[in-house]
Amino acid sequence: MNNLLVIPLLIPLCTAALLVFVKNNIPAQRWLSAISMIGTTAVAAAIVYQVRAEGIQTLHMGGWLPPYGIVFTADLFAALLVLAASAVAFFCLLYSFGSVGEQRERYYYYPFFQFLLVGVNGSFLTGDLFNLFVCFEVMLISSYALIVLGGTKRQLRETLKYILVNILSSTLFVASVAYLYGVTGTLNMADLSQRVAEAGQGGILNVIAVLFMIVFSLKAGLFLFFWLPGSYSVPPAAVAALFGALLTKVGLYALIRTFMLIFYHNPDSTHTWIAWMAAATMILGALGAIAYTDVQKILNYNVIITVGFIAFGLAVANEASMDGVVFYLLHDMAAKALLFFLGGMVVRLTGTNSLTEMGGLIKRYPLLGWMLFVTSLAIAGIPPLSGFAGKLLILLGGIEEESFWLTGTALASSFIVLYSLIRMFMGAFWGEEKPLRSNSTSGSAKASLPATLMLPAAGLFIIVLAIGLGSEWVYRLAAEAGHTLMNPAIYIDAVLKE
Amino acid sequence: MELYMSLAIGVLFTVGVYLVLSKSLLRIILGTSLLTHGVHLLLLTMSRLKTGAAPLLGQKADAYVDPLPQALILTSIVISFGVTSFFFVLAYKAYQNLGTDNMEQLKGDDDE
């Protein structure tokens, strides 16, 4: 029993409720939400510390023992993701101070932001399948509001599609929960894992596993990502960064949790499917990333490639690849948010999304340029930087399992990532200086970047560098988390035997 | 009894999917609500439709029906109610601003 586990939900939840009452006082809204994010991050760090010191932490809601009550469970994997999500969200919040505009801030931008974080943290920490559904919905409904807030024509159009896809996948989620309840008679994840092991995963349970795979793939953008490039390109950069860094990762977390804890008995059928979907995602994402000259589109397809890469690590499912998955998730949450920040600044400076219409920014904005360059190298996985260790571990896992074609695809996708990001860097920063378009926010020739945008980007940049240079230390955490993922018995014992 | 319920749910899913694949936005929203009806009935059916008293302890019956799926359905109903109302208002705003309810015409080539 550890009451700390529910605090990462309670702080944003109470803050969001409070913020509704100070709707018109924008400074108060900013201060309150910033303080709440710092508090959440601190509590998440405390949870990570506790899990390392004392093993998996559980909290039985209302004192009802599992499997009867709802149980919150933090193994190291979940705790690390909560920490990363809260920290990244803090920087997204700082970035939105300078970029979302007063109109949005007046219409409940910060409460929605906080509610989104409630859903994300809840999804990571819950140990109950239906509670996971509810947390998904909290997250998704906030994301609908954040996408459409502002109400331009493009936003209205893309939100319609985004909502439709998510309603369908949520419907499918409830159907899968219904089938699983019909077969096993429980909804607690640890109890489910035991009962699936007792019944032997075959026949109907395989079908249910595939249903869950479809549901979570829709949410994570694994192969079924047709909705993602459009939806993620309409909201402002701060929101897109939040989505790119957190939302797809929650889907991936759910995939990893289901297939490493509940349906891990029959990898020949389920994990092979995931492997092929991951390969297709990497290839299709790579095609998208090189096809477009639109900054937003390039970033969005890079999100998709990453999802494919992490899913490949999940499909391999050995000790090395699971360590790599944890490491890469942590790195990618920070690095993707940073990439969206920098892309957003480039778009803001030039007033256009199109790479062909911009150029020569390096003369005026050298700092921004070199940050984008280093971030691109980090995401591609160049050795001293943060993406390298995770990629190396996942690829090692792939080679150990002798799935050479998939490993080759994953390796090739890194080249494409590098090519697409460096092309973006060269297009925007090298070459002739193009006249700034009149509709850019800066307008005049001596436009400078406000510190409110550069500071959060610099903060995240330092974190990304730290993950890269302190790989040894992060790897120790990731290896512990990966070990728990590979041995579901540890999780089950912690939840059911108290 | 479960067989008939399954058939009815299957019909609801079929009609729902057919409506979601149509062009008009209102038909799509109706399709999603039929799908959620189907999935709620599915939750009820999957807990077996044995006869028993309503899950109220005051009834002092020998056997009660399973209370858990009813709680799940209640949760799911409220959530889908909230989402559907948001969807309806969004469709209304989209019709006002974009001037069409035809999904075929909601393509993104005007400004990209």
Side-chain angles (χ1 to χ4, degrees):
Chain A
M1 287 290 276
N2 180 2
N3 284 326
L4 210 55
L5 288 192
V6 78
I7 308 287
L9 273 84
L10 271 187
I11 295 180
L13 186 67
C14 297
T15 316
L18 193 65
L19 288 178
V20 173
F21 292 104
V22 290
K23 177 189 176 219
N24 287 320
N25 189 347
I26 293 171
Q29 289 209 51
R30 288 181 174 184
W31 277 106
L32 277 174
S33 29
I35 292 169
S36 121
M37 283 294 91
I38 293 174
T40 314
T41 313
V43 173
I47 293 175
V48 170
Y49 180 76
Q50 272 199 338
V51 173
R52 283 206 79 192
E54 301 161 25
I56 296 176
Q57 301 288 311
T58 58
L59 170 63
H60 308 145
M61 292 292 172
W64 296 92
L65 289 180
Y68 301 108
I70 284 176
V71 59
F72 267 45
T73 319
D75 61 350
L76 196 54
F77 180 45
L80 283 173
L81 287 181
V82 171
L83 177 60
S86 310
V88 168
F90 173 65
F91 287 107
C92 290
L93 185 76
L94 291 186
Y95 189 82
S96 44
F97 288 167
S99 65
V100 294
E102 199 190 320
Q103 203 58 30
R104 282 196 180 83
E105 287 179 306
R106 261 189 209 294
Y107 285 94
Y108 306 106
Y109 174 80
Y110 295 116
F112 285 130
F113 190 100
Q114 302 281 331
F115 278 128
L116 185 89
L117 210 71
V118 174
V120 170
N121 283 348
S123 308
F124 288 148
L125 286 172
T126 187
D128 182 284
L129 213 52
F130 198 77
N131 201 229
L132 180 68
F133 164 72
V134 175
C135 289
F136 261 110
E137 288 302 307
V138 171
M139 177 183 90
L140 289 173
I141 293 171
S142 329
S143 74
Y144 305 154
L146 282 176
I147 283 196
V148 82
L149 202 60
T152 63
K153 287 187 175 181
R154 291 182 64 202
Q155 284 177 312
L156 288 169
R157 195 182 66 213
E158 293 302 329
T159 316
L160 283 175
K161 300 169 192 171
Y162 180 70
I163 292 190
L164 179 61
V165 168
N166 279 304
I167 289 182
L168 293 180
S169 70
S170 299
T171 312
L172 212 52
F173 196 168
V174 180
S176 331
V177 167
Y179 285 131
L180 194 54
Y181 180 72
V183 174
T184 61
T186 181
L187 288 176
N188 179 289
M189 288 187 199
D191 197 30
L192 267 176
S193 174
Q194 268 192 337
R195 294 204 188 183
V196 169
E198 280 163 17
Q201 185 191 334
I204 182 95
L205 280 169
N206 262 340
V207 176
I208 296 172
V210 171
L211 257 177
F212 272 107
M213 191 195 301
I214 294 171
V215 171
F216 294 139
S217 302
L218 265 171
K219 313 254 183 199
L222 174 64
F223 186 59
L224 306 169
F225 60 74
F226 49 87
W227 53 272
L228 195 147
S231 313
Y232 280 20
S233 57
V234 291
V239 177
L242 197 66
F243 286 7
L246 299 187
L247 291 200
T248 54
K249 306 297 183 293
V250 178
L252 274 172
Y253 168 82
L255 264 180
I256 294 170
R257 194 51 95 203
T258 3
F259 285 95
M260 295 312 289
L261 181 64
I262 304 173
F263 300 114
Y264 59 92
H265 304 280
N266 210 341
D268 280 347
S269 58
T270 52
H271 287 57
T272 312
W273 274 104
I274 298 179
W276 287 111
M277 283 164 85
T281 314
M282 285 188 279
I283 293 170
L284 295 174
L287 289 179
I290 36 183
Y292 288 94
T293 53
D294 179 305
V295 174
Q296 281 288 351
K297 283 269 160 59
I298 295 177
L299 298 183
N300 293 341
Y301 277 101
N302 269 298
V303 172
I304 294 169
I305 298 179
T306 309
V307 170
F309 195 82
I310 295 175
F312 164 63
L314 165 68
V316 173
N318 55 24
E319 193 93 23
S321 79
M322 287 328 283
D323 297 353
V325 163
V326 180
F327 196 113
Y328 200 73
L329 268 175
L330 293 178
H331 140 79
D332 193 67
M333 280 167 124
K336 273 285 144 49
L338 177 57
L339 193 64
F340 274 90
F341 286 179
L342 299 173
M345 279 193 255
V346 169
V347 171
R348 183 189 170 100
L349 284 173
T350 54
T352 171
N353 263 329
S354 168
L355 279 180
T356 50
E357 289 175 38
M358 53 177 83
L361 286 175
I362 196 80
K363 283 176 197 145
R364 266 195 215 126
Y365 308 102
L367 187 62
L368 179 66
W370 294 118
M371 266 165 82
L372 181 65
F373 182 69
V374 175
T375 313
S376 307
L377 294 188
I379 288 178
I382 305 292
L385 298 163
S386 58
F388 173 66
K391 281 200 171 174
L392 181 69
L393 286 167
I394 293 180
L395 293 175
L396 269 182
I399 291 171
E400 263 175 46
E401 293 295 308
E402 302 189 339
S403 47
F404 297 116
W405 281 107
L406 287 171
T407 315
T409 312
L411 199 56
S413 81
S414 297
F415 283 110
I416 304 286
V417 167
L418 186 63
Y419 170 71
S420 70
L421 293 179
I422 290 299
R423 195 179 61 142
M424 189 171 103
F425 171 73
M426 286 168 61
F429 286 91
W430 286 7
E432 293 284 308
E433 259 185 279
K434 300 260 170 73
L436 295 171
R437 282 217 298 203
S438 54
N439 63 348
S440 79
T441 39
S442 40
S444 64
K446 59 175 191 252
S448 64
L449 278 169
T452 44
L453 298 185
M454 273 314 266
L455 281 180
L460 258 187
F461 187 67
I462 291 168
I463 290 186
V464 170
L465 285 185
I467 295 179
L469 298 175
S471 285
E472 181 73 31
W473 191 76
V474 182
Y475 171 70
R476 245 177 270 155
L477 289 172
E480 273 180 52
H483 180 73
T484 320
L485 281 177
M486 281 307 291
N487 299 287
I490 305 176
Y491 184 97
I492 298 168
D493 282 348
V495 175
L496 291 181
K497 302 198 179 103
E498 284 247 336
Chain B
M1 192 60 201
E2 280 91 345
L3 180 66
Y4 298 121
M5 283 297 279
S6 309
L7 288 174
I9 295 162
V11 171
L12 278 176
F13 266 88
T14 318
V15 179
V17 169
Y18 178 78
L19 283 178
V20 164
L21 293 176
S22 58
K23 283 180 185 172
S24 155
L25 194 50
L26 273 181
R27 288 166 71 97
I28 290 177
I29 302 180
L30 289 180
T32 60
S33 25
L34 284 184
L35 280 177
T36 45
H37 281 318
V39 90
H40 295 152
L41 286 177
L42 179 69
L43 257 177
L44 196 68
T45 312
M46 286 312 283
S47 71
R48 313 287 188 277
L49 301 166
K50 287 169 295 204
T51 44
L56 300 165
L57 286 178
Q59 304 249 340
K60 308 234 184 323
D62 296 332
Y64 295 97
V65 294
D66 190 351
L68 185 71
Q70 302 192 9
L72 301 186
I73 292 168
L74 193 55
T75 315
S76 180
I77 285 175
V78 198
I79 291 176
S80 62
F81 188 56
V83 174
T84 307
S85 52
F86 187 85
F87 203 3
F88 264 121
V89 175
L90 186 72
Y92 176 62
K93 285 305 273 185
Y95 179 69
Q96 278 186 326
N97 277 313
L98 304 166
T100 178
D101 77 330
N102 186 341
M103 283 307 261
E104 295 278 303
Q105 289 173 10
L106 292 176
K107 283 181 185 161
D109 299 319
D110 49 354
D111 51 0
E112 283 157 30

